[in-house]
Amino acid sequence: MRFAFLSDIHGNATALEAVITDLNKKDVDHIVVLGDLSFRGPEPKRCLNLIRSLDASVVKGNADEWLVRGFNEGEVPKEALDGLNKERDWTLKRLNDEDLTYLSELPSEMIVDRGQDQLIHAFHATPTSLFENVYPDETTKIEHQLMQKDEADVYAYGHIHLPFVRSFHGKNVINPGSVGLPFDGHPLASYIIADLEEGRHTMQIHRVPYNREHVVELYHQGGYPNIETMGRVVFYGVKP
């Protein structure tokens, strides 16, 4: 069975459309979206509409939680809080109650079982946190914090905006990186396709070009409150 894993779209509907177009050529059986759907991009509403049209399995990310209930103390640096609140207010003006209900009701984790022999444990950051960072080289944290369900064969998460695939004890841990805001210096939209068959896993990271200039222009047209920073992230694939 062929799965596509997408994460961290962050309101970049142009990048998401490019990925969906690419997926339509790949004969994918099911799509898994690993959170952070709308916040910090110029088209939050269109992203939600696109995602909800996919019949995908979707889990909640920290940015989805922030849109619903705001920022709790300690979740973001104090010096960034004012700017993030302005970005959140801007985004909320473009969503309605139904959109926020959809985000609030997303599960924080799930087992994806589409009748295949291999089970997928999907979550945004870790199975117990929407916020904790676990990086590709942190072997101990990967084994103890991500690989918590012994019955799973694949552990899929997002959050760090860095794509990778690693194998442990005959199982795979994968991160598709970010569709909308890559942080690895490679600004193309990122996702993973996984072919899961009995006794065999094939994982491949895909990078998809899209019109980044158009996205930056959308930030300007919409009067986004943090245009310079977000435009740099989109155009160069770097952290804000």
Side-chain angles (χ1 to χ4, degrees):
M1 193 167 188
R2 175 166 286 185
F3 292 86
F5 296 89
L6 285 60
S7 192
D8 296 276
I9 298 141
H10 286 287
N12 188 342
T14 302
L16 179 58
E17 278 190 327
V19 167
I20 292 170
T21 298
D22 200 56
L23 287 176
N24 287 336
K25 306 172 186 176
K26 299 289 198 300
D27 196 25
V28 169
D29 296 301
H30 190 63
I31 297 171
V32 181
V33 182
L34 301 169
D36 282 7
L37 310 182
S38 291
F39 187 34
R40 308 209 80 183
E43 295 186 281
K45 178 75 170 182
R46 195 156 78 90
C47 270
L48 277 185
N49 290 342
L50 285 168
I51 291 163
R52 294 168 78 173
S53 74
L54 294 176
D55 190 29
S57 296
V58 185
V59 298
K60 182 188 294 183
N62 62 294
D64 308 313
E65 182 79 352
W66 282 338
L67 279 180
V68 172
R69 53 87 163 155
F71 305 96
N72 288 342
E73 186 175 355
E75 289 178 349
V76 300
K78 289 183 178 179
E79 62 272 17
L81 184 56
D82 181 62
L84 284 169
N85 272 318
K86 290 177 181 177
E87 292 184 57
R88 178 174 179 266
D89 290 343
W90 184 96
T91 305
L92 289 175
K93 290 176 182 177
R94 288 151 178 82
L95 301 177
N96 58 32
D97 289 343
E98 182 183 354
D99 298 326
L100 294 177
T101 297
Y102 171 79
L103 293 175
S104 71
E105 293 179 349
L106 289 173
S108 59
E109 62 168 332
M110 67 170 61
I111 291 289
V112 180
D113 179 2
R114 305 288 291 187
Q116 79 280 4
D117 292 326
Q118 288 80 21
L119 298 180
I120 300 162
H121 190 194
F123 43 88
H124 180 65
T126 78
T128 57
S129 170
L130 296 176
F131 302 95
E132 186 163 359
N133 294 317
V134 179
Y135 292 104
D137 59 347
E138 295 183 308
T139 298
T140 300
K141 289 181 73 173
I142 289 173
E143 292 189 282
H144 290 110
Q145 294 179 236
L146 303 187
M147 303 177 72
Q148 293 185 13
K149 288 192 182 296
D150 291 338
E151 66 270 27
D153 300 279
V154 177
Y155 304 85
Y157 78 112
H159 190 53
I160 58 173
H161 297 224
L162 303 170
F164 76 92
V165 176
R166 288 192 65 182
S167 295
F168 297 84
H169 318 300
K171 303 184 178 190
N172 283 301
V173 177
I174 65 174
N175 192 307
S178 175
V179 169
L181 299 174
F183 288 172
D184 60 349
H186 194 328
L188 304 190
S190 178
Y191 75 95
I192 281 178
I193 284 183
D195 289 297
L196 306 182
E197 301 175 15
E198 186 175 359
R200 182 171 65 184
H201 299 172
T202 303
M203 314 283 179
Q204 187 172 15
I205 297 168
H206 293 257
R207 305 301 293 242
V208 181
Y210 68 94
N211 191 339
R212 288 173 285 142
E213 293 86 351
H214 175 64
V215 175
V216 173
E217 180 59 28
L218 288 175
Y219 277 116
H220 283 278
Q221 289 177 5
Y224 197 81
N226 195 7
I227 294 171
E228 183 176 345
T229 296
M230 299 313 297
R232 184 171 65 251
V233 176
V234 166
F235 206 79
Y236 297 107
V238 295
K239 294 183 71 173

